[in-house]
Amino acid sequence: MGIFGRKGSTPETTADTGADLTALTGEYTIDPAHTTIGFTARHAMVTNVKGAFNDFTGSLHLDGADPSKSTASLDIQMASVETGSADRDGHLKSSDFFKIDEFPVMTFRSTKAEALGGDDYRITGDLSILGTTKPITIDLEFNGAAKDPFGNERVGFEGKAEILRSEWGLTWNAALETGGVLVSDKIKLNFDISAIKKA
């Protein structure tokens, strides 16, 4: 099924769906006002802390006929991190974590896209943090396409991935008296993306 195929499509609707795919193929700009790039970390072994980056730019190239030709690019300003605590945000921006003065931007550049069936896709790419670049895999679900009240053609995706922050040199931690550590190595990433087709 093409990248914009919907679950429940029947053979009788394949031809129409194909026409729609052709129309939606193109270049898109990620809309930061309607997009969330978030993360979740385990704190003190007992609870989750959630945060997001609020300043970023990104683009998509979508190929409805051949999803493997689709690409994605993101540039995220590390100073825009927000977790609901000014003290915690300050610590994340410091030399213990993001070192924003030296490494102000986190980037993602896709290297592979796959259709998994239905509305499910997988994109692999290079994630660069603190000057270290390593591959990650993001599982995506296509949420649909629509024209908004302002005439913009939009597409939406939800995605998730897991990384070990230590692989990018984010190793700061503190031991707990009861055992374990203050901040988990495993970080869950989540993406809720709305992108606008370029004219």
Side-chain angles (χ1 to χ4, degrees):
M1 185 181 295
I3 198 167
F4 300 110
R6 302 299 296 163
K7 293 176 182 176
S9 295
T10 64
E12 290 76 19
T13 63
T14 300
D16 291 340
T17 301
D20 291 339
L21 296 181
T22 301
L24 292 173
T25 295
E27 306 297 326
Y28 290 77
T29 299
I30 293 176
D31 177 8
H34 297 94
T35 295
T36 300
I37 298 176
F39 60 89
T40 303
R42 199 76 170 165
H43 181 263
M45 310 292 289
V46 297
T47 191
N48 290 320
V49 169
K50 296 182 179 181
F53 295 95
N54 297 322
D55 185 3
F56 52 85
T57 57
S59 61
L60 306 174
H61 167 74
L62 302 181
D63 190 320
D66 185 355
S68 68
K69 295 180 179 178
S70 299
T71 60
S73 174
L74 271 173
D75 292 271
I76 300 166
Q77 299 297 320
M78 301 299 274
S80 71
V81 67
E82 186 175 353
T83 65
S85 165
D87 287 344
R88 182 165 54 226
D89 296 346
H91 192 196
L92 287 172
K93 297 173 189 179
S94 76
S95 58
D96 283 342
F97 285 96
F98 295 153
K99 304 177 183 178
I100 64 169
D101 291 337
E102 186 177 358
F103 303 101
V105 182
M106 171 171 57
T107 64
F108 174 80
R109 301 290 185 268
S110 67
T111 56
K112 182 180 180 181
E114 305 169 81
L116 303 181
D119 290 335
D120 297 326
Y121 300 87
R122 179 169 292 151
I123 190 164
T124 302
D126 292 328
L127 180 66
S128 298
I129 308 173
L130 300 184
T132 297
T133 301
K134 289 185 175 293
I136 68 166
T137 298
I138 303 170
D139 289 326
L140 292 168
E141 181 177 2
F142 175 61
N143 283 342
K147 182 173 287 190
D148 69 22
F150 305 101
N152 298 310
E153 294 183 45
R154 291 180 178 268
V155 293
F157 294 90
E158 288 183 67
K160 60 184 179 180
E162 290 186 354
I163 65 171
L164 298 178
R165 62 187 178 91
S166 59
E167 294 185 352
W168 281 266
L170 292 164
T171 57
W172 183 92
N173 228 322
L176 302 175
E177 291 184 7
T178 53
V181 291
L182 186 64
V183 184
S184 62
D185 191 20
K186 180 189 291 185
I187 305 295
K188 296 179 181 179
L189 306 177
N190 57 82
F191 308 87
D192 198 344
I193 296 170
S194 178
I196 299 172
K197 191 174 186 181
K198 295 181 181 179

